[in-house]
Amino acid sequence: MKIRLLLLSLAVAFVPVSGLRAQDAKPAAPAVPAEKPETELEQTMGKMGKAWKQVRRAARDGKLTAATADLVATIRTNAEAATKLTPALEAEKPAADQAKFQADYVAQMKKLIEKLSTLEATLKAGDTATATKLVAEVGDLMKSGHKDFRKPEEHK
Ligand code: HEM
């Protein structure tokens, strides 16, 4: 019994030490990330993307509820902010085409915002079947928006 206790206290005493050693052995993280700095639009889209993943998952798992409307509101608010920004691809267009490119981008974003507002109301009303269809339609607007306005090498 005494030996067991002794072994136990020895084990407890060594845990933190070995923990520390494991940490010391970790390779240092690179000081500068390899990625290029994000544009403001990428940051805004990134926030939309996080909330969208959860909405899509809820739709796939048949778990759309009134609470999902809050996530949709997050996507909508960021889409509204995105409307005031300019896709990086625009700078690669001839100067004469840029105003139309921006107007088309804003128009597509407005379609998205309208669809998201309808989805929010539908979720709050508890109409899950319609909400599931609307989630798919939001996905289609995202895909065509990315096809037309995002730099090709950024498509993931
Ligand atoms: C629910 C809808 C949408 C979601 C969840 C979404 C999500 C995203 C994500 C995750 C990125 C990558 C961000 C990064 O590189 O860090 C992105 C980029 C981008 N998205 Fe969206 N997006 C949506 C709709 C749209 C629509 C409708 C348009 C166009 C009207 C659009 C235009 C763009 C553009 C242009 C970029 C590249 C950013 C830049 O040029 O600086 N997105 N989006």
Side-chain angles (χ1 to χ4, degrees):
M1 189 65 189
K2 267 183 192 164
I3 288 175
R4 264 197 216 161
L5 262 179
L6 183 68
L7 283 176
L8 186 68
S9 49
L10 274 175
V12 168
F14 277 105
V15 163
V17 174
S18 52
L20 265 181
R21 289 225 175 104
Q23 254 176 13
D24 290 348
K26 265 188 201 166
V32 181
E35 294 264 315
K36 63 172 174 48
E38 285 202 314
T39 64
E40 199 180 342
L41 184 55
E42 279 175 337
Q43 285 172 14
T44 307
M45 286 282 164
K47 289 178 202 160
M48 289 166 66
K50 268 191 191 154
W52 172 241
K53 261 192 201 161
Q54 297 175 64
V55 172
R56 221 181 28 189
R57 192 181 310 131
R60 195 190 54 211
D61 298 348
K63 287 183 179 160
L64 287 174
T65 66
T68 318
D70 291 344
L71 290 166
V72 177
T74 300
I75 304 171
R76 181 180 47 75
T77 313
N78 281 290
E80 280 159 7
T83 305
K84 298 180 185 82
L85 302 171
T86 301
L89 180 61
E90 190 166 311
E92 293 173 15
K93 301 277 167 191
D97 298 344
Q98 289 184 354
K100 184 178 185 305
F101 181 90
Q102 183 69 20
D104 290 347
Y105 162 74
V106 170
Q108 175 78 2
M109 202 53 93
K110 284 198 169 146
K111 277 193 209 166
L112 175 70
I113 292 164
E114 260 176 47
K115 193 68 78 185
L116 290 167
S117 300
T118 313
L119 174 57
E120 258 175 274
T122 308
L123 285 165
K124 283 183 188 160
D127 182 354
T128 312
T130 309
T132 306
K133 269 197 245 161
L134 288 166
V135 168
E137 289 172 23
V138 167
D140 290 343
L141 286 172
M142 177 186 77
K143 273 186 208 137
S144 64
H146 287 171
K147 186 174 148 286
D148 293 341
F149 302 103
R150 197 174 170 188
K151 280 189 184 183
E153 70 269 25
E154 285 171 4
H155 290 186
K156 283 160 201 162

